[in-house]
Amino acid sequence: MGAQYCAVSAKLKAMYGSCLDADDYNELLSRRTVPEICGYLKQNTVYAKALEGYNEETAHRGVLETKLMMRLFDEYSRLYTFMNQKQRSFLGLWNMQWEIKVLQRAMRYIVNHEEIPQWFGDDATELEIKKHTRIKLDALAAARSMSEVIAACENTPYKEILETGEKLNLDLFSSGMRLDRFYIETLWKAKNSLEREDKDAFASWLGTDIDMMNIMWIYRGKKFWDFSNERIYTYILPIRYRLSSEDISRMVQSDDPKALEEYVKANTIYGDLFDSHGEGIFIEENYNYIAHKKARSIMSAHPLTMAAVYAYINIKELEISNITIIIEGIRYGINPDNIKKHIKIGGI
């Protein structure tokens, strides 16, 4: 198995070396305007090409995120060329996660009665992205209703999921969750096609993520939406890694969010999700920090596996999320020290 991944591993190592470090994050946080932040990214990081021609003052946040993702797609394409057909088929599953994010964003704009921005143009990278998706991206950008979003998904597995959601009159959250669930279950099942070390490493990376997502979804259902236990169960992923069915049951049946937090800390390995939770740190931020550490661990311990490839992509997605948080924070005049508290990746 190792020989199949030698070239890919070497490429991953080089790409990982270009990730933002603590100095980069501190430099970004020291900037006072969005143009200054984008200027630093253009002049000092691998995002230079992706941000070329980007209007920092007027462009939509969705467009910014897409531009930053251009770099990840460029790296994705380069990794793709180093792989054999079986590896390419497995890596191609990542496209589903990206497609689902695009669909969820478009659905959110429609529900909020906002115009969907034209995320993709005609430069080389954007044309390459269009090659890797069956969603009709131009039709999606022009959509003004859920029916038009569904039409843009013709010949994709998302069409049936969205049609069912529309027939059941599901809200945006529920429809989005159904899409997320479809992707995760597909990826979890696909790992069984990998060889043993790769399968075990992939299960460790994705299984840890699934456990944390289930905890977060239960917590959100209790904390923010006051969902019934029965409804919470409908959102939980039916996959168990380090959490048992009893753990899930005990968490769902917790009297309140605080009792849930106490159970997680006392009975699972995921207590760090609630680290500094009473001090203004969000559970999602701790999730990002733990996910980042896990991904780095997988890359170090299992460099010659598909698990390492997905772990690296996860690291880059978290990095892009960090950049977006910093830019939005500066744009809305939030003190850099307060922004820094919520950036727990990169050693800062």
Side-chain angles (χ1 to χ4, degrees):
M1 178 187 68
Q4 302 173 23
Y5 283 97
C6 284
V8 175
S9 180
K11 197 70 177 174
L12 276 180
K13 186 176 181 180
M15 290 176 175
Y16 183 67
S18 68
C19 288
L20 301 187
D21 58 22
D23 289 340
D24 289 315
Y25 281 116
N26 284 318
E27 286 289 344
L28 292 173
L29 287 164
S30 72
R31 271 41 183 188
R32 293 293 177 265
T33 66
V34 174
E36 287 178 3
I37 292 173
C38 289
Y40 180 85
L41 291 170
K42 289 177 182 179
Q43 296 167 23
N44 301 282
T45 75
V46 295
Y47 296 101
K49 182 181 178 181
L51 291 173
E52 185 177 354
Y54 174 71
N55 187 331
E56 300 92 343
E57 296 289 4
T58 62
H60 194 285
R61 172 178 174 159
V63 177
L64 169 62
E65 291 175 333
T66 301
K67 291 294 184 183
L68 294 173
M69 284 292 289
M70 295 301 176
R71 175 62 194 185
L72 180 52
F73 265 100
D74 184 56
E75 293 183 351
Y76 170 93
S77 297
R78 284 186 281 155
L79 286 170
Y80 197 83
T81 63
F82 279 88
M83 294 182 170
N84 60 37
Q85 190 56 46
K86 183 178 179 180
Q87 293 165 338
R88 289 179 177 182
S89 178
F90 196 93
L91 180 61
L93 293 174
W94 176 76
N95 277 334
M96 293 175 59
Q97 180 189 28
W98 171 81
E99 289 173 331
I100 286 169
K101 287 180 179 177
V102 170
L103 287 174
Q104 289 170 332
R105 193 185 300 164
M107 290 158 57
R108 186 166 61 248
Y109 289 141
I110 286 173
V111 168
N112 293 333
H113 304 290
E114 299 178 44
E115 183 175 338
I116 301 175
Q118 185 72 44
W119 290 308
F120 302 97
D122 294 319
D123 72 18
T125 303
E126 292 166 340
L127 290 174
E128 183 67 22
I129 290 173
K130 291 180 179 180
K131 290 181 187 177
H132 287 277
T133 180
R134 287 180 291 172
I135 295 176
K136 300 172 184 177
L137 294 174
D138 293 335
L140 183 65
R144 296 296 179 269
S145 67
M146 275 302 302
S147 296
E148 291 177 344
V149 170
I150 292 171
C153 295
E154 190 72 37
N155 300 319
T156 76
Y158 317 120
K159 182 174 184 287
E160 183 178 354
I161 297 172
L162 294 176
E163 282 182 331
T164 300
E166 190 173 42
K167 289 176 183 176
L168 295 174
N169 198 30
L170 297 180
D171 56 26
L172 176 63
F173 173 81
S174 298
S175 294
M177 289 285 285
R178 287 167 63 89
L179 290 169
D180 285 332
R181 182 170 178 154
F182 172 72
Y183 167 68
I184 295 166
E185 290 182 356
T186 299
L187 197 57
W188 183 257
K189 182 178 180 180
K191 79 181 188 316
N192 295 326
S193 67
L194 300 171
E195 295 183 24
R196 180 164 183 175
E197 179 192 348
D198 204 347
K199 177 182 175 180
D200 290 346
F202 202 90
S204 176
W205 169 70
L206 184 57
T208 299
D209 207 51
I210 289 170
D211 281 350
M212 291 195 293
M213 284 190 285
N214 275 337
I215 292 171
M216 289 194 297
W217 288 345
I218 296 170
Y219 180 82
R220 291 168 183 160
K222 290 183 172 293
K223 176 74 172 180
F224 302 112
W225 301 309
D226 195 28
F227 285 168
S228 67
N229 291 349
E230 290 73 19
R231 185 171 184 183
I232 290 174
Y233 274 119
T234 66
Y235 294 124
I236 295 171
L237 288 158
I239 297 167
R240 304 289 172 262
Y241 183 59
R242 299 291 294 275
L243 294 178
S244 67
S245 295
E246 181 181 357
D247 287 325
I248 295 293
S249 178
R250 293 284 294 275
M251 286 188 287
V252 172
Q253 295 175 31
S254 298
D255 292 334
D256 52 47
K258 185 62 178 176
L260 167 61
E261 178 179 339
E262 290 172 353
Y263 181 86
V264 172
K265 288 180 176 179
N267 298 280
T268 79
I269 64 170
Y270 301 109
D272 287 351
L273 275 172
F274 295 95
D275 185 39
S276 301
H277 191 231
E279 303 170 17
I281 300 300
F282 299 111
I283 188 174
E284 291 81 5
E285 293 161 358
N286 288 328
Y287 160 77
N288 285 343
Y289 182 61
I290 297 168
H292 187 267
K293 287 199 301 182
K294 183 66 177 182
R296 290 178 60 187
S297 173
I298 291 293
M299 288 190 66
S300 175
H302 306 281
L304 302 178
T305 63
M306 185 59 70
V309 177
Y310 269 79
Y312 172 74
I313 291 174
N314 187 218
I315 288 170
K316 290 299 291 186
E317 289 173 326
L318 293 171
E319 180 176 278
I320 290 168
S321 175
N322 271 348
I323 294 171
T324 305
I325 288 171
I326 293 172
I327 287 178
E328 290 300 291
I330 295 299
R331 174 174 282 163
Y332 291 106
I334 299 174
N335 187 295
D337 288 337
N338 289 332
I339 300 173
K340 188 173 184 177
K341 293 177 184 177
H342 302 287
I343 303 295
K344 300 181 68 176
I345 302 170
I348 64 172

